[in-house]
Amino acid sequence: MPVLALPPVTPTLIWILVVLVAVGLYLSWTAGRLDRLHARIDAARAALDAQLLRRASVAQELATSGVLDPAASIVLYEAAHAARQAVEEQREVAESELSQALRAVFADAQQVDAVREAPGGEEAALELAEAVRRVPMARRFHNDAVRAARALRLHRKVRWFRLAGHAAFPMAFEMDDEPPAALIERAA
């Protein structure tokens, strides 16, 4: 019976295999990192949505409490309602309009003092100030995660090997989130 002789394994072939394995491991690690960044974006977006909903809910509650004058109540209620009901494409605009309405209603310290002096107004003002303060932080966390994922997705290796799969390109959440200064100062 003839013995089958295998060709000798050359050092070049071994190095090629080592390089291919190393490249495969690196691409796998990069894909995993990109996946973790997308998960971080999802978590940050959920936190941002929760803070925006909390801010709109507290503003709407304050508008219907009878603590504000009627004109301010209507402006604040309509902006908060629009922010809560906005579809995803209009969300940034609606949230920016709520920020503008909050600054318009609480433009001067007398309005904040009037709210705080009303029964239950102290708690409402503190809750609104806290909600307004948390929105910029949540938006910053979200946009930082988006920035990191975008930077990684723009690398050639990610594009060439399609490491992002079918995930949508992450978009930052851009809105006017400047809090009303009088509310923040008086509630602190």
Side-chain angles (χ1 to χ4, degrees):
M1 176 173 251
V3 175
L4 215 62
L6 295 174
V9 179
T10 62
T12 306
L13 186 58
I14 292 172
W15 281 111
I16 289 173
L17 288 174
V18 167
V19 167
L20 286 176
V21 168
V23 167
L25 287 173
Y26 178 71
L27 291 176
S28 175
W29 175 81
T30 303
R33 181 173 168 227
L34 190 57
D35 187 50
R36 287 188 302 275
L37 283 172
H38 281 137
R40 188 172 135 205
I41 289 171
D42 291 342
R45 181 58 189 243
L48 175 62
D49 287 342
Q51 292 305 322
L52 291 172
L53 180 63
R54 180 172 180 246
R55 180 182 77 152
S57 297
V58 171
Q60 206 169 19
E61 212 174 279
L62 187 63
T64 58
S65 68
V67 173
L68 299 172
D69 63 82
S73 292
I74 290 172
V75 167
L76 194 57
Y77 180 83
E78 287 180 356
H81 181 71
R84 289 183 71 176
Q85 301 298 320
V87 294
E88 192 59 37
E89 294 80 28
Q90 299 297 319
R91 184 99 188 262
E92 293 172 352
V93 173
E95 294 294 346
S96 294
E97 289 173 354
L98 177 55
S99 295
Q100 293 165 2
L102 285 165
R103 284 196 306 271
V105 169
F106 296 106
D108 59 347
Q110 287 93 8
Q111 182 70 24
V112 178
D113 291 338
V115 168
R116 291 178 70 192
E117 290 169 3
E122 181 74 30
E123 294 83 23
L126 288 174
E127 190 175 357
L128 182 61
E130 189 63 31
V132 166
R133 255 185 266 182
R134 288 182 178 187
V135 168
M137 284 190 299
R139 190 174 75 86
R140 196 171 314 120
F141 286 137
H142 175 266
N143 288 349
D144 287 346
V146 166
R147 195 173 306 115
R150 280 181 165 186
L152 184 59
R153 285 185 70 156
L154 293 176
H155 285 255
R156 272 188 232 126
K157 65 180 176 264
V158 173
R159 291 192 320 261
W160 288 351
F161 293 102
R162 301 187 195 308
L163 298 180
H166 296 289
F169 195 74
M171 301 301 289
F173 194 86
E174 297 300 332
M175 65 171 271
D176 173 10
D177 59 5
E178 183 182 339
L183 179 66
I184 299 299
E185 288 171 6
R186 292 284 198 224

